[in-house]
Amino acid sequence: LTQPDAIARRVDLNLRVEGGHRVEEGYRYFAERLRVGTPAHFGPITAVPSLNLEYYQTFGDATRNELGGQAQALLNCPGDQRTCLLAYLEQRLELDFRDDAVETRRGLYLALSLQEGIHAFGQGFSYVRALPEVRAFLPLGRSVLAFRGRVGLLHAYGKEGVPLLARFTGGG
């Protein structure tokens, strides 16, 4: 749900609620997510601060560390450490110089996402995660040459580490 100009002129209110199920090698999980954000638009610049709460229920053996046998993935979570609340603040800054956001033929898109893990309801993780991204588009006749690159940095503070569910994974 997005309500344009809800906070002020050019500042929207965004509410996102979703549920999901995912199967990974060695485990699977159900997740419920809540995101409250306030996107602010200033020409080609968009800033999106948000508060995110994600509740996970994992199944399988991947919550155990292969080397030490301790539950590293969901450490600092209650009970059997197979359920966990992941809470974080996120700030996203976007610079969009594309001719069209949906059917792009030319242009440049730059973004930077910063996440700070926080403690909420007696659970949580202290970490910072940075994810810059660049996309470039160049028309070649009837085709478009497109490039996309992302690189990430993830650093944990404290002894609880970073949960498996907040880490970077390969694939596309």
Side-chain angles (χ1 to χ4, degrees):
L1 171 69
T2 298
Q3 179 61 51
D5 299 332
I7 308 296
R9 188 170 174 256
R10 296 189 206 148
V11 181
D12 306 339
L13 177 63
N14 182 278
L15 176 65
R16 182 176 178 174
V17 178
E18 70 180 49
H21 175 255
R22 187 162 176 172
V23 178
E24 295 284 348
E25 186 175 331
Y27 74 106
R28 61 188 170 97
Y29 66 80
F30 291 99
E32 294 81 34
R33 297 179 184 96
L34 171 67
R35 175 186 178 126
V36 178
T38 55
H41 310 279
F42 304 99
I45 300 171
T46 300
V48 187
S50 65
L51 170 64
N52 301 267
L53 300 173
E54 301 178 0
Y55 182 71
Y56 293 92
Q57 304 94 46
T58 62
F59 306 91
D61 294 330
T63 56
R64 301 280 170 209
N65 182 330
E66 297 290 328
L67 300 175
Q70 296 181 346
Q72 295 293 327
L74 299 180
L75 194 66
N76 202 23
C77 293
D80 63 2
Q81 299 184 350
R82 293 197 178 270
T83 61
C84 195
L85 177 70
L86 183 63
Y88 57 92
L89 300 173
E90 183 175 32
Q91 301 82 41
R92 183 166 177 84
L93 182 63
E94 302 172 351
L95 300 171
D96 193 350
F97 301 107
R98 297 175 292 179
D99 59 347
D100 187 293
V102 177
E103 294 185 29
T104 307
R105 298 235 357 113
R106 72 174 63 238
L108 182 66
Y109 173 87
L110 304 168
L112 175 63
S113 172
L114 293 173
Q115 277 184 17
E116 299 89 24
I118 59 174
H119 293 264
F121 307 107
Q123 296 185 47
F125 304 89
S126 299
Y127 69 91
V128 65
R129 177 180 167 165
L131 186 64
E133 177 179 358
V134 62
R135 301 178 199 172
F137 303 88
L138 182 65
L140 295 174
R142 295 181 60 176
S143 300
V144 175
L145 178 64
F147 168 81
R148 178 181 179 213
R150 294 190 327 175
V151 62
L153 169 72
L154 181 62
H155 180 72
Y157 298 97
K159 60 183 175 185
E160 67 254 3
V162 178
L164 178 69
L165 302 164
R167 295 177 185 173
F168 295 108
T169 58

